[in-house]
Amino acid sequence: MTADAWVVVGLCAVSTATIKGIGPFALGGRPLPAAATRVIALLAPALLAALVVTGVFSENGHLHVGDEAVGVLAGGAAALRDASILVCVVLAAVVTAALRALT
Amino acid sequence: MRRTVPLPSATAAAPRAAFRRGVREGAPFAAASLLLAASFGVLAVDAGFPELAVVVMSAIVFAGSAQFAAVTIIAAGGGPGAAVLAATLVNSRFLPMGIALGPSLPGGRWRRAAQGQAVVDASWVMAARADGTFDRHYLFGNTGIQYVGWLGGTVLGVVGGGLLGDTDALGFDALYPTFFLVLLIQEMRKGRGRGVAAAGAAIALVLIPLTPPGVPVLAASLAALIGLRRTHRPAPPSPTEGAT
């Protein structure tokens, strides 16, 4: 296990550095075409929405709805009321924990 | 929504001021990262990782969702190959993000690749300007403070994990999605991309039961290609268009 753990750590480090580095390595300081700029501006909402959905509804490759969905909703509601991100994530955890304690 | 903003002068803000602003605005995210990292530390030690390996992983991988993915697979009895593959897939979103960032970085190839390591989700989103360029000094400051939170939280989780007990009972699994949801809400307030966010969410939802972890998120990035259609000029026969 110990050896496996270090292999995982080492390979994950190499893989992450490679993925993060490829784009900047290949593309230098020249302006992008307008169409590419529009696509880039839309990448963040697409990726973030997908990260929220997979974080809430994916469990071991299956769709699943649990108490944490309600907690995340509560955190999102706080964000809409301009709460700081720390308040939002703590609220989400507290609501989730409370639901689990009650059910 | 068609923007014809010219490229700004690269010296719009003093680098040091931008860096400090990045640190300041990244601090709340660093505090949230600290909680997430603590839960990661607990999970990884429970999965059988040596304590030092857990801390080193946060120090040199520094990619939260990928670290969670890898350790979750080991905890479920998977092998190191499957764990690394899952982490790589989960990280695959950094590929388009790096492509977007590249043109905003100065220097030679290797120097740009090194600077590209500073990308994490929150800093990348917040460092983006409306014209598609990125404020790299802001990015460095924003990521830097989050690195401190991530590494510090991991140490706390590894050392004090026994005190926390069952992190699922504490609702820690709600932390990560909420972190991303807050970022998404901030992005929506800029008034663009609602339809794209909905499409990205739908793509991910459909793919969750069909593909390995990470693929739903990577595939969702394709929703951004709708941006290609919002042009009124006929496609010019320009060879540089395909370069991106």
Side-chain angles (χ1 to χ4, degrees), chain B residues 8 15 51 55 72 78 86 89 91 102 118 135 139 142 153 162 164-165 176 181 184 194 206-207 209 219 225:
Chain B
E51 295 180 352
V55 175
T72 303
L89 283 173
N91 269 341
D135 185 334
L139 179 85
N142 195 303
L164 279 176
Y176 233 110
L181 181 58
L184 178 64
R194 287 180 193 211
V206 167
L207 291 181
L225 291 176

Side-chain angles (χ1 to χ4, degrees), chain B residues 30 34 62 143-153:
Chain B
L34 188 122
F62 183 41
T143 296
I145 187 73
Q146 291 190 67
Y147 184 83
V148 173
W150 183 251
L151 192 55

